[in-house]
Amino acid sequence: MISAAVVAAAIGFVPTAAQAADQPAKRQGSASAAMDSVKAAAAKAAVFHSPAERTVRTSAPTAGKAAAAQAEGATKGNAGLAVDLRASATSAHGFSLASQITTAAGAPVKVDIDWGDGRTDTEHVTGAKLLTSKHTFAEVGKHKVTVTLTDRDNNVTATNSVEVQSLGSKFTPHAPTRLLDTRSGIGGGNRPVTPYGVARVKVGGNSGIPADATAVALNVTVVSPRSGGHITAYPSGTEQPTTSNVNFVAGQTVPNMTIVPVGADGYVELVNRSYGDVDLVADVTGYFSPSASAGGYTSLDPFRIADSRTGQGTWGQVAGQSTFELQVAGNGAVPASGVTAVALNVTATAPRGAGHLTVFPTGQEAPNTSNVNFKAGQTIANSVIVPVGPDGRINVRNGAWDPADVIVDVVGYYSPGSKASYVPTKPTRLHDSRKYDFPVQGQDFRWPPLADGDPTVTAFVLNATVTDTQGSGHLTVAPDPYTWAQRESGAPNPTPPNSSNLNWTKGETVPNLVQASTGTTGVIDFWNRGWDPTHLVVDMFGFYEKN
């Protein structure tokens, strides 16, 4: 896991130039240094070791030697020849290998490093030495790295191997399936979660999800809470983080998509941080694993594929208990073939009654799950990751009895040809404008340089929350066309896209998962599209990185 302290200390949010004079300094170091620190912290947590004692000695293959002479050389020549291997993950696909070679003084030794993917590096040393080698694998997963020492002067070889697993993992879509419902007993007991109690969700080995799943896409819904509070999702067996995933008030039914690492025991835990009982529902739509055959991620600048208010994608309000189809493959920047799942932001607006929206692939029956829950007159959005049907289309169903307008924005897609794999991190709070009492003003934006200077990072998985809202509005998250240096030098404000990530009215606290593209500059804009100030909280759960 990536160190929360490292990330929090290294990445700061930057106010616009007009705000800078009144804003306390919150920037520590460069963004490039920030990502270097993040990856360095990850390496410390992902170390694979094979001690020198595991070295296997054999006689060197020398032509013309008798078998007995070879055996004698293997036991007597350079008796201390050995290698200790310690591999550290440096990125989603990369490793640094430290080979501590022990050998007789002055003995020339050839070092062959077989990375296990068809590539081999060769070095030559004289005497004991620590060799450091770097390698980037084309695919995620497990790899066996073998180091062979050859001392021909003493007719002996020594071999040691270490198995490594990449930090990165890839996505496999899953038919929307309910893993937890405390109301009915699915996934455990049929009682609400008590104040500050924990609900455990079995992921690995459940509903066809493999035991080696590293993270899961879960839609977590809070039902009928007795008081206000929030839910925090985190991997089982780890310390509860200070972040939040779903915020709620008494009596509210509210969902939020989460991408959360899976604990070593295969479970995810959901803690109820409120003073009242709450029912919880968790629906899976996909998982990440170290499988090279699964799909990578391609982030996109957000674009709209449906807006029933304007007739885009569907005409007029979506009738209650009805479904409409949307073409995803071949739409906009999404390729026409090979797409297995799509990342969306789905918004319900102006509903005439309470209900929910369900998004699911074509060719399947509507599942008993929900993605967006709403009450009459409410505008509410939720992040959605959904498999794409064999015809490249998805379904959107209005599960209410009354009509509602529906908006769908695309933010990315998964496919075997996509190069970026997911690196989960310890849930970490990156920004809280309440700390300095410095809300985002109306029609203004914050522009954190999360990946400035690191083109390998293509997107971040964040949870954005607005709170203490002074009026109605919506948040738009999009890549900035200017670099950090250009923006500091007074680059003009960009035009935000016609999309939204979350919507609010005065006095609300509203969260939503954001899969934020880093674009071409690594700088990400958080726009307050309302006319009144709002506080902004941003938590990080991971990032996508290509090799």
Side-chain angles (χ1 to χ4, degrees):
M1 295 298 174
I2 293 177
S3 165
V6 169
V7 177
I11 301 178
F13 272 36
V14 183
T16 59
Q19 300 167 339
D22 299 323
Q23 170 68 350
K26 297 197 293 289
R27 187 172 66 240
Q28 298 90 11
S30 71
S32 177
M35 285 311 302
D36 288 345
S37 296
V38 165
K39 293 176 181 178
K44 292 180 181 178
V47 175
F48 307 88
H49 183 217
S50 183
E53 290 76 13
R54 295 180 182 174
T55 303
V56 176
R57 292 166 51 84
T58 60
S59 58
T62 304
K65 289 281 187 178
Q70 289 183 348
E72 182 181 1
T75 57
K76 294 184 179 180
N78 200 346
L81 187 65
V83 59
D84 179 283
L85 303 179
R86 192 176 297 268
S88 301
T90 56
S91 65
H93 296 253
F95 285 87
S96 176
L97 176 67
S99 304
Q100 180 62 66
I101 299 166
T102 303
T103 182
V109 175
K110 185 177 76 162
V111 183
D112 292 306
I113 304 173
D114 182 351
W115 294 101
D117 61 354
R119 292 179 57 188
T120 301
D121 293 333
T122 299
E123 300 275 357
H124 295 272
V125 302
T126 301
K129 188 173 183 179
L130 176 63
L131 278 182
T132 301
S133 311
K134 296 184 181 298
H135 186 73
T136 300
F137 291 97
E139 288 294 347
V140 300
K142 295 181 179 179
H143 306 274
K144 185 177 181 180
V145 181
T146 301
V147 176
T148 300
L149 311 180
T150 303
D151 178 356
R152 292 194 180 275
D153 287 353
N154 289 284
N155 190 42
V156 64
T157 64
T159 302
N160 196 359
S161 298
V162 60
E163 290 193 353
V164 301
Q165 180 170 311
S166 61
L167 279 180
S169 52
K170 290 191 173 182
F171 185 75
T172 300
H174 192 287
T177 304
R178 187 146 291 175
L179 299 185
L180 175 75
D181 190 338
T182 59
R183 302 168 302 178
S184 62
I186 294 175
N190 57 352
R191 296 180 180 179
V193 183
T194 58
Y196 289 86
V198 172
R200 285 170 53 81
V201 183
K202 182 173 176 57
V203 175
N206 189 10
S207 190
I209 302 171
D212 64 349
T214 57
V216 63
L218 284 179
N219 198 61
V220 178
T221 304
V222 173
V223 181
S224 303
R226 295 189 178 181
S227 72
H230 64 270
I231 302 298
T232 296
Y234 59 99
S236 173
T238 65
E239 183 180 356
Q240 290 183 4
T242 59
T243 54
S244 65
N245 295 91
V246 190
N247 296 69
F248 52 86
V249 297
Q252 183 182 27
T253 296
V254 57
N256 199 23
M257 171 63 70
T258 66
I259 296 179
V260 58
V262 178
D265 60 358
Y267 280 81
V268 165
E269 296 189 346
L270 308 174
V271 58
N272 169 23
R273 286 186 170 143
S274 76
Y275 292 110
D277 292 352
V278 62
D279 276 308
L280 292 178
V281 177
D283 302 320
V284 62
T285 61
Y287 59 87
F288 296 85
S289 70
S291 170
S293 62
Y297 183 66
T298 298
S299 61
L300 300 173
D301 289 0
F303 69 94
R304 186 151 289 174
I305 62 170
D307 188 339
S308 62
R309 302 170 302 177
T310 62
Q312 182 183 5
T314 185
W315 288 98
Q317 283 201 314
V318 182
Q321 302 295 305
S322 71
T323 300
F324 69 94
E325 292 187 358
L326 282 175
Q327 183 69 39
V328 174
N331 195 339
V334 181
S337 61
V339 177
T340 58
V342 63
L344 308 169
N345 205 71
V346 179
T347 304
T349 187
R352 298 185 187 179
H356 65 272
L357 300 178
T358 298
V359 186
F360 59 101
T362 54
Q364 299 182 12
E365 296 292 328
N368 183 31
T369 59
S370 64
N371 296 97
V372 184
N373 295 69
F374 51 82
K375 57 187 178 182
Q378 185 181 24
T379 297
I380 185 169
N382 196 20
S383 182
V384 174
I385 299 174
V386 60
V388 175
D391 57 358
R393 301 170 72 86
I394 60 172
N395 289 321
V396 181
R397 182 176 186 272
N398 177 10
W401 293 104
D402 301 288
D405 278 309
V406 177
I407 303 167
V408 181
D409 299 318
V410 176
V411 299
Y413 63 88
Y414 298 89
S415 71
S418 297
K419 300 302 182 184
S421 57
Y422 182 60
V423 179
T425 69
K426 181 178 180 179
T428 303
R429 180 143 294 172
L430 296 183
H431 177 69
D432 189 340
S433 66
R434 299 171 299 181
K435 183 176 180 181
Y436 297 100
D437 192 23
F438 195 79
V440 185
Q441 299 301 309
Q443 301 300 312
D444 207 348
F445 68 108
R446 298 283 162 86
W447 43 279
L450 294 181
D452 184 48
D454 190 341
T456 65
V457 176
T458 63
F460 284 87
V461 175
L462 309 169
N463 202 68
T465 304
V466 294
T467 188
D468 298 331
T469 54
Q470 302 302 301
S472 298
H474 65 273
L475 187 76
T476 296
V477 183
D480 195 301
Y482 297 100
T483 65
W484 186 17
Q486 290 171 326
R487 186 141 301 291
E488 283 193 315
S489 299
N493 289 353
T495 301
N498 182 32
S499 62
S500 66
N501 293 89
L502 58 90
N503 301 67
W504 68 84
T505 58
K506 184 177 180 179
E508 284 191 317
T509 296
V510 182
N512 200 10
L513 182 81
V514 178
Q515 301 219 79
S517 170
T518 58
T520 59
T521 66
V523 179
I524 301 172
D525 295 336
F526 288 73
W527 284 90
N528 173 7
R529 303 301 303 278
W531 293 102
D532 302 286
T534 181
H535 277 296
L536 173 67
V537 180
V538 180
D539 300 320
M540 184 177 81
F541 297 92
F543 58 89
Y544 292 95
E545 186 179 27
K546 62 184 180 180
N547 58 359

